[in-house]
Amino acid sequence: MSLLIKGGRIVTAADDYVADVFIDDERISLIGLDLDTPADRVIDATGKYVLPGCIDPHTHLDMPFGGTVTIDDVEAGQISAAFGGTTCHVDFIIQPQGATFAQALDTWKAKAAGKQVIDMGYHMAVTDLDDGGTLEELASLPEQGITSYKLFMAYKGALMVDDETLFRTMEVATKTGALVMVHAENGDVIDVLVKEALAAGNTEPKYHALTRPPEAEGEATNRAIQLAHLAGAPLYVVHVTCKEAVEPIARARELGWDVWGETCTQYFFNSLDDISKPGFEGAKYVYSPPVRDKSNHDVLWSAVRGDALSVISTDHCAFLFDGQKTLGKDDFSKIPNGGPGLENRLHMIHEFGVRTGRITLNRMVELLATNPAKLFGLYPRKGTVTVGSDADLVVFDPEKQVTISAATHHSKSDYNLYEGTKVTGSPEVVLLRGRVLVENDELVASPGVGQFVARARFGEELRPARTAVAP
Ligand code: URP
Ligand code: ZN
Ligand code: ZN
């Protein structure tokens, strides 16, 4: 199946120009002016942007967490992603306590079998190096295309690891060329604060935020940076929320250290006001690290406008309000942590980042597609629009008006963090390797079209599987 996209404004991290794109055999094979190459289908993209499919490096689909399981399985989560212009994501495998990494990988692959709508890779979240996985096994994961290790410095008694496990994993990463990712909050301190709050009878959702202060995030961020530097490992700090965490990342980057930071859509918009809403409404905004004081919104915009933070992800970890968030009705520490977001990242960042002039279109593409591709071993196969790349493309209508709502989103969650927000600009056609996934607000592909992508090691490029045949 060949496809010709005519007259669109092609926007990459570096370029912005009007041209035609010819797609053949899943890849972009030609970009030029006034192409008249015969094609099975022609899409008129006049007045539209042609963007690389967005990449979300931080999702939790079908994941057991907080006494329940995230409500979006691979199919529902990936359909949401496709509607929002995301064509590839990297999901977290969580190593169950006592399980080997191979067992964990098998479990996660089984969850995805037959359900994939977009392409995906995996990070391995290390929880146990004593009774389950070994350092040797961890070292073998990059050979299987799993080239990032994640460690939780919080969630004491569940996913949290100690500094020894963190540091040993970093040492393995240094040897194997994997990228180390951290959830940076001081879990021991948070555990004390949570116990104190509950003992004082403070059970409402807002105490989730009040017991996870910015200092706990800043301390853990700085600790991870120093330990990674000592181990010689590259470090990626996930879901950065506040000045206390941005500052050590910015400082490390100024020193030329291999440190990157990510924030997530929700941290630009939600705040302590949301989690403090009356009744139990605030539970919708219980995720970790927590919502912060509004002053941090500008801190984050300025960090992504400059280069302190390099990626915006979603941390999509969706639950139902009714039946899952309500597990913590009488105790905030029992509210499952996480929220939906896969579908609305591009909508929200385009509206409030690009249309307000906070960031350029090029920077938006860099934050949502190109940098995730480069950092997670997917570039240049994905994350840009160039000859030879997978034809993962979004024909984006900058004039289309959308009102974001749980009534129309594709996540199974019964609420949306941006309910009622009106945006101008939305994907019109979404392509995965040249195949139309979404067109005119309809899903036109069936689950099964997405693939697992074996990612390159940190700093290495991923070239398309098939090499061009010389003429
Ligand atoms: O609250 C969150 N973020 N839930 C997902 C797990 C994590 O910490 O990323
Ligand atoms: Zn986290
Ligand atoms: Zn997460």
Side-chain angles (χ1 to χ4, degrees):
M1 164 92 183
S2 60
L3 192 74
L4 183 60
I5 303 178
K6 295 282 291 177
R9 182 172 156 194
I10 298 171
V11 184
T12 67
D15 297 312
D16 187 340
Y17 58 101
V18 173
D20 302 340
V21 182
F22 180 70
I23 297 159
D24 194 22
D25 194 16
E26 302 198 347
R27 283 190 290 163
I28 297 171
S29 65
L30 200 58
I31 300 176
L33 288 177
D34 302 323
L35 296 181
D36 56 7
T37 322
D40 297 322
R41 179 167 175 205
V42 178
I43 294 177
D44 179 7
T46 312
K48 314 281 161 59
Y49 304 155
V50 177
L51 312 175
C54 296
I55 297 171
D56 194 336
H58 189 156
T59 60
H60 304 275
L61 302 182
D62 204 348
M63 181 181 86
F65 193 48
T68 182
V69 179
T70 57
I71 191 69
D72 284 331
D73 65 356
V74 170
E75 186 172 321
Q78 293 194 350
I79 289 173
S80 290
F83 274 94
T86 291
T87 52
C88 183
H89 71 124
V90 192
D91 203 66
F92 290 96
I93 296 176
I94 309 287
Q95 176 204 12
Q97 289 285 326
T100 66
F101 297 117
Q103 287 164 342
L105 177 57
D106 285 348
T107 304
W108 253 258
K109 284 206 162 165
K111 291 173 196 266
K115 292 187 171 183
Q116 284 182 244
V117 177
I118 64 172
D119 286 353
M120 75 187 298
Y122 293 114
H123 314 287
M124 181 60 74
V126 177
T127 62
D128 178 10
L129 288 175
D130 294 327
D131 306 319
T134 61
L135 293 172
E136 294 68 37
E137 200 198 357
L138 190 58
S140 71
L141 291 176
E143 286 151 30
Q144 300 167 64
I146 297 170
T147 54
S148 36
Y149 308 142
K150 163 83 177 286
L151 298 119
F152 290 90
M153 299 168 77
Y155 304 127
K156 190 167 180 177
L159 304 177
M160 179 171 148
V161 297
D162 57 15
D163 285 352
E164 180 180 345
T165 303
L166 175 61
F167 189 67
R168 284 191 186 282
T169 302
M170 288 171 167
E171 287 185 329
V172 173
T174 305
K175 291 194 196 108
T176 63
L179 177 62
V180 176
M181 308 169 76
V182 284
H183 170 133
E185 287 186 292
N186 186 318
D188 283 320
V189 168
I190 289 167
D191 193 53
V192 171
L193 295 176
V194 168
K195 285 180 177 142
E196 286 173 358
L198 291 174
N202 296 326
T203 59
E204 305 99 288
K206 71 175 178 188
Y207 288 98
H208 172 76
L210 299 179
T211 55
R212 306 182 84 102
E215 291 86 343
E217 186 180 337
E219 183 281 327
T221 302
N222 187 50
R223 180 161 31 111
I225 289 170
Q226 298 298 332
L227 294 180
H229 185 62
L230 189 60
L235 180 74
Y236 179 94
V237 184
V238 303
H239 50 38
V240 171
T241 71
C242 58
K243 181 167 162 284
E244 288 77 357
V246 169
E247 282 176 352
I249 294 170
R251 194 170 57 240
R253 292 177 60 70
E254 276 160 26
L255 290 169
W257 294 8
D258 279 344
V259 173
W260 287 268
E262 160 205 277
T263 189
C264 312
T265 324
Q266 55 273 28
Y267 294 114
F268 295 103
F269 303 105
N270 298 152
S271 73
L272 290 173
D273 292 353
D274 294 302
I275 205 168
S276 308
K277 283 180 179 166
F280 193 60
E281 184 72 7
K284 293 179 179 172
Y285 306 90
V286 167
Y287 42 75
S288 296
V291 288
R292 300 292 184 199
D293 178 275
K294 274 187 175 153
S295 61
N296 283 293
H297 294 172
D298 279 346
V299 171
L300 296 178
W301 282 118
S302 116
V304 295
R305 189 168 49 248
D307 203 29
L309 297 181
S310 311
V311 172
I312 303 173
S313 73
T314 66
D315 192 7
H316 183 92
C317 185
F319 296 104
L320 292 170
F321 178 71
D322 204 358
Q324 291 190 297
K325 289 286 181 181
T326 45
L327 291 170
K329 197 124 191 58
D330 303 315
D331 174 350
F332 72 88
S333 71
K334 296 197 167 63
I335 301 170
N337 287 201
L342 249 172
E343 190 160 342
N344 301 122
R345 179 177 56 148
L346 179 56
H347 287 134
M348 293 296 283
I349 300 303
H350 176 259
E351 177 69 27
F352 297 100
V354 176
R355 278 172 47 86
T356 59
R358 287 180 170 115
I359 56 171
T360 63
L361 257 182
N362 300 103
R363 182 63 177 159
M364 178 185 81
V365 169
E366 193 167 35
L367 291 161
L368 271 50
T370 315
N371 281 350
K374 287 184 174 171
L375 286 163
F376 292 100
L378 292 161
Y379 189 85
R381 184 168 157 194
K382 296 187 185 289
T384 192
V385 181
T386 195
V387 171
S389 290
D390 282 358
D392 298 354
L393 296 170
V394 179
V395 179
F396 185 88
D397 180 352
E399 302 303 330
K400 184 170 171 182
Q401 305 206 334
V402 170
T403 302
I404 295 173
S405 174
T408 47
H409 75 194
H410 298 83
S411 164
K412 290 186 186 166
S413 180
D414 53 0
Y415 72 97
N416 189 299
L417 293 173
Y418 318 111
E419 185 68 34
T421 304
K422 291 184 181 7
V423 298
T424 301
S426 190
E428 185 176 271
V429 184
V430 179
L431 300 172
L432 176 73
R433 287 179 277 103
R435 178 196 293 264
V436 177
L437 294 181
V438 170
E439 186 162 17
N440 298 324
D441 300 323
E442 295 289 336
L443 183 72
V444 293
S446 305
V449 298
Q451 293 176 357
F452 168 74
V453 185
R455 295 180 293 118
R457 288 165 207 254
F458 179 75
E460 293 179 6
E461 292 197 332
L462 186 69
R463 292 284 161 188
R466 296 138 295 139
T467 44
V469 180

Tab-separated table of all heavy atoms in Angstrom, residues 58 60 150 152 155 183 238-239 288-289 315, ligand 2:
chain	number	residue	atom	x	y	z
A	58	HIS	N	6.327	6.982	28.838
A	58	HIS	CA	5.969	6.737	30.242
A	58	HIS	C	4.478	6.400	30.356
A	58	HIS	O	3.635	7.299	30.450
A	58	HIS	CB	6.312	7.982	31.077
A	58	HIS	CG	6.198	7.784	32.546
A	58	HIS	ND1	6.886	8.545	33.465
A	58	HIS	CD2	5.470	6.920	33.291
A	58	HIS	CE1	6.578	8.161	34.691
A	58	HIS	NE2	5.700	7.161	34.609
A	60	HIS	N	1.549	3.175	31.907
A	60	HIS	CA	1.320	1.992	32.757
A	60	HIS	C	0.007	1.348	32.320
A	60	HIS	O	-1.064	1.695	32.828
A	60	HIS	CB	1.212	2.396	34.226
A	60	HIS	CG	2.402	3.152	34.749
A	60	HIS	ND1	3.536	2.527	35.219
A	60	HIS	CD2	2.631	4.482	34.892
A	60	HIS	CE1	4.400	3.443	35.629
A	60	HIS	NE2	3.883	4.634	35.433
A	150	LYS	N	14.252	0.920	35.227
A	150	LYS	CA	13.559	1.921	36.045
A	150	LYS	C	13.629	1.525	37.507
A	150	LYS	O	13.477	0.351	37.855
A	150	LYS	CB	12.098	1.975	35.588
A	150	LYS	CG	11.111	2.638	36.542
A	150	LYS	CD	11.112	4.141	36.383
A	150	LYS	CE	10.078	4.809	37.266
A	150	LYS	NZ	8.717	4.647	36.793
A	152	PHE	N	12.190	2.737	41.443
A	152	PHE	CA	11.304	3.580	42.244
A	152	PHE	C	12.013	3.883	43.560
A	152	PHE	O	12.336	2.966	44.324
A	152	PHE	CB	9.983	2.858	42.527
A	152	PHE	CG	9.101	2.697	41.310
A	152	PHE	CD1	9.196	1.576	40.503
A	152	PHE	CD2	8.173	3.682	40.970
A	152	PHE	CE1	8.379	1.429	39.387
A	152	PHE	CE2	7.353	3.545	39.849
A	152	PHE	CZ	7.463	2.413	39.058
A	155	TYR	N	7.244	4.663	47.206
A	155	TYR	CA	6.302	3.549	47.366
A	155	TYR	C	6.924	2.480	48.274
A	155	TYR	O	7.108	1.319	47.899
A	155	TYR	CB	5.893	2.926	46.025
A	155	TYR	CG	5.293	3.887	45.018
A	155	TYR	CD1	5.806	3.985	43.721
A	155	TYR	CD2	4.208	4.696	45.359
A	155	TYR	CE1	5.262	4.858	42.793
A	155	TYR	CE2	3.654	5.576	44.428
A	155	TYR	CZ	4.191	5.650	43.150
A	155	TYR	OH	3.647	6.514	42.233
A	183	HIS	N	12.024	7.171	39.527
A	183	HIS	CA	10.936	7.908	40.178
A	183	HIS	C	11.593	8.464	41.429
A	183	HIS	O	11.898	7.719	42.364
A	183	HIS	CB	9.778	6.968	40.526
A	183	HIS	CG	8.728	7.604	41.396
A	183	HIS	ND1	7.378	7.497	41.126
A	183	HIS	CD2	8.809	8.351	42.529
A	183	HIS	CE1	6.685	8.152	42.053
A	183	HIS	NE2	7.540	8.670	42.926
A	238	VAL	N	12.095	10.726	35.780
A	238	VAL	CA	10.725	10.783	35.256
A	238	VAL	C	9.889	11.779	36.063
A	238	VAL	O	10.250	12.185	37.168
A	238	VAL	CB	10.048	9.384	35.261
A	238	VAL	CG1	10.858	8.377	34.468
A	238	VAL	CG2	9.788	8.867	36.670
A	239	HIS	N	8.795	12.157	35.500
A	239	HIS	CA	7.752	13.030	36.081
A	239	HIS	C	8.258	14.051	37.118
A	239	HIS	O	7.900	14.014	38.292
A	239	HIS	CB	6.575	12.226	36.624
A	239	HIS	CG	6.851	11.070	37.549
A	239	HIS	ND1	7.817	11.084	38.493
A	239	HIS	CD2	6.212	9.874	37.670
A	239	HIS	CE1	7.778	9.939	39.166
A	239	HIS	NE2	6.821	9.187	38.685
A	288	SER	N	1.525	10.470	41.792
A	288	SER	CA	2.808	10.757	42.441
A	288	SER	C	3.928	10.928	41.427
A	288	SER	O	3.975	10.154	40.471
A	288	SER	CB	3.195	9.613	43.378
A	288	SER	OG	2.251	9.518	44.406
A	289	PRO	N	4.832	11.912	41.672
A	289	PRO	CA	4.747	12.941	42.692
A	289	PRO	C	3.420	13.699	42.555
A	289	PRO	O	2.811	13.696	41.495
A	289	PRO	CB	5.949	13.840	42.405
A	289	PRO	CG	6.875	13.020	41.569
A	289	PRO	CD	6.026	12.073	40.813
A	315	ASP	N	2.625	9.694	31.793
A	315	ASP	CA	2.507	8.843	32.984
A	315	ASP	C	1.084	8.291	33.075
A	315	ASP	O	0.496	8.233	34.153
A	315	ASP	CB	2.897	9.622	34.247
A	315	ASP	CG	3.061	8.714	35.462
A	315	ASP	OD1	3.000	7.477	35.295
A	315	ASP	OD2	3.248	9.245	36.573
B	2	ZN	ZN	6.519	7.298	39.289
